[in-house]
């Protein structure tokens, strides 16, 4: 079930973009949220972009070239402003129109696509920033309410079979194929929907991180294209 931000002990809410960018993760906090109520017509922007692939990247130049109504222009200005503020802080935001992501059908009992609860990993200190402007939003679950899938006996047994039953090199195998990044929400876990318009900063697994990485997943599409900024 979906729950409010206040129930999720891993989330800290802030009230300005500067605070959002400057607030750091610490203790149990591995997700920072700037809640916003959007103005403007973001669906119009999606309608004006020709999308051939499952995921279409929109540049600031693409946005500027669109002929939009007054409400469409309000949406465009917000997108451009969000891009600018992130870029000024050294981030590299990417705006995507998403029809759907590729589903992983390599291991049916253990898919490793973004629809599965997972954490992001990086060799350098960083964080994942994202905002959904239109369509279904991502979800997170508290670390205390999820289990790393490779620790679930039934799944570990099947993974060991994939590795020909050999314990030697097994942990490397799990890492090489990203199995170690995926989690299963516990029964009755409270799932937090990230909402439309809210800007999020999620902790990433990296060598110097002092907090647990944030467990999240992409939404299953329900016939609606998604407009997402991420970096």
């Amino acid at each position: 079930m979906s729950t409010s931000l206040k129930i999720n002990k891993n989330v800290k809410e802030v009230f300005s973009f500067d605070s959002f960018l400057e607030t750091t993760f610490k203790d149990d906090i591995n997700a920072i949220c700037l809640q916003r109520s959007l103005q403007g017509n973001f669906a119009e922007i999606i309608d004006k972009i020709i999308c051939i692939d499952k995921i279409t990247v929109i540049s600031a130049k693409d946005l500027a070239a669109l002929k939009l109504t007054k409400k469409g222009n309000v949406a465009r200005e917000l997108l451009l402003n969000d891009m600018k503020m992130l870029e000024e802080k050294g981030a590299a935001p990417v705006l995507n129109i998403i029809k759907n992501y590729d589903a992983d059908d390599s291991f049916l009992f253990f898919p490793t696509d973004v629809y599965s609860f997972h954490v992001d990993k990086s060799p350098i200190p960083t964080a994942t920033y994202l905002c959904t402007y239109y369509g279904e939003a991502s979800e997170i679950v508290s670390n205390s309410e999820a289990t790393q899938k490779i620790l679930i006996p039934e799944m570990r047994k099947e993974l060991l079979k994939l590795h020909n039953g050999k314990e030697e090199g097994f942990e490397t195998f799990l890492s090489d194929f990203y199995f170690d990044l995926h989690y299963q929400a516990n029964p009755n876990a409270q799932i937090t929907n990230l909402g439309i318009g809210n800007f999020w900063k999620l902790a990433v697994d990296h060598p110097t991180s002092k907090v647990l990485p944030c467990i999240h997943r992409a939404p299953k599409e329900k016939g609606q294209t998604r407009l997402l900024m991420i970096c």
Side-chain angles (χ1 to χ4, degrees):
M1 61 183 294
S2 180
T3 187
S4 71
L5 305 185
K6 299 185 187 308
I7 296 176
N8 191 319
K9 66 178 183 179
N10 297 135
V11 175
K12 179 178 178 60
E13 187 178 358
V14 296
F15 302 97
S16 72
F17 209 90
D18 285 340
S19 294
F20 171 75
L21 295 172
E22 294 169 5
T23 301
T24 58
F25 305 117
K26 64 178 182 178
D27 302 324
D28 290 334
I29 301 299
N30 62 12
I32 297 168
C33 174
L34 173 62
Q35 283 194 286
R36 307 187 298 181
S37 179
L38 296 183
Q39 303 296 318
N41 189 343
F42 293 88
E44 182 182 352
I45 291 175
I46 293 174
D47 290 341
K48 292 290 179 69
I49 299 288
I50 298 175
C51 300
I52 299 175
D53 300 321
K54 296 176 182 177
I55 299 177
T56 301
V57 178
I58 310 170
S59 67
K61 184 177 180 180
D62 294 331
L63 285 174
L66 296 177
K67 293 183 178 180
L68 301 170
T69 64
K70 183 177 180 179
K71 289 185 177 180
N73 189 57
V74 170
R76 170 170 56 195
E77 290 304 310
L78 178 68
L79 292 170
L80 291 172
N81 189 55
D82 284 352
M83 284 182 174
K84 180 181 178 182
M85 287 193 290
L86 287 170
E87 289 169 350
E88 287 176 348
K89 293 296 183 178
V94 177
L95 184 63
N96 291 325
I97 293 178
I98 302 168
K99 294 181 179 179
N100 64 278
Y101 294 102
D102 287 327
D104 177 21
D105 56 4
S106 301
F107 311 103
L108 296 180
F109 75 97
F110 199 134
T112 56
D113 52 44
V114 294
Y115 298 116
S116 165
F117 273 121
H118 64 282
V119 299
D120 296 332
K121 190 171 186 176
S122 171
I124 60 173
T126 188
T128 296
Y129 296 81
L130 73 158
C131 178
T132 300
Y133 300 89
Y134 188 83
E136 298 295 321
S138 298
E139 296 176 321
I140 61 174
V141 62
S142 293
N143 299 76
S144 61
E145 295 190 287
T147 303
Q148 194 176 19
K149 284 186 175 182
I150 62 172
L151 300 181
I152 299 173
E154 296 81 4
M155 291 190 178
R156 193 171 183 87
K157 182 179 179 180
E158 291 300 317
L159 290 168
L160 190 59
K161 287 180 182 178
L162 286 178
H163 198 242
N164 297 318
K166 298 178 180 179
E167 289 288 351
E168 183 179 357
F170 185 49
E171 297 301 325
T172 299
F173 164 76
L174 295 177
S175 177
D176 287 347
F177 286 90
Y178 310 108
F179 293 120
D180 60 328
L181 302 183
H182 289 262
Y183 289 74
Q184 179 170 291
N186 298 341
N188 301 316
Q190 298 290 318
I191 310 301
T192 301
N193 187 286
L194 302 192
I196 302 301
N198 301 331
F199 233 118
W200 286 84
K201 179 164 59 176
L202 309 181
V204 168
D205 181 7
H206 61 80
T208 60
S209 178
K210 297 180 180 179
V211 300
L212 293 173
C214 183
I215 302 170
H216 60 287
R217 69 181 175 189
K220 288 287 187 179
E221 295 80 13
K222 298 178 181 178
Q224 197 176 58
T225 302
R226 187 182 186 200
L227 183 61
L228 172 74
M229 189 177 293
I230 189 168
C231 56

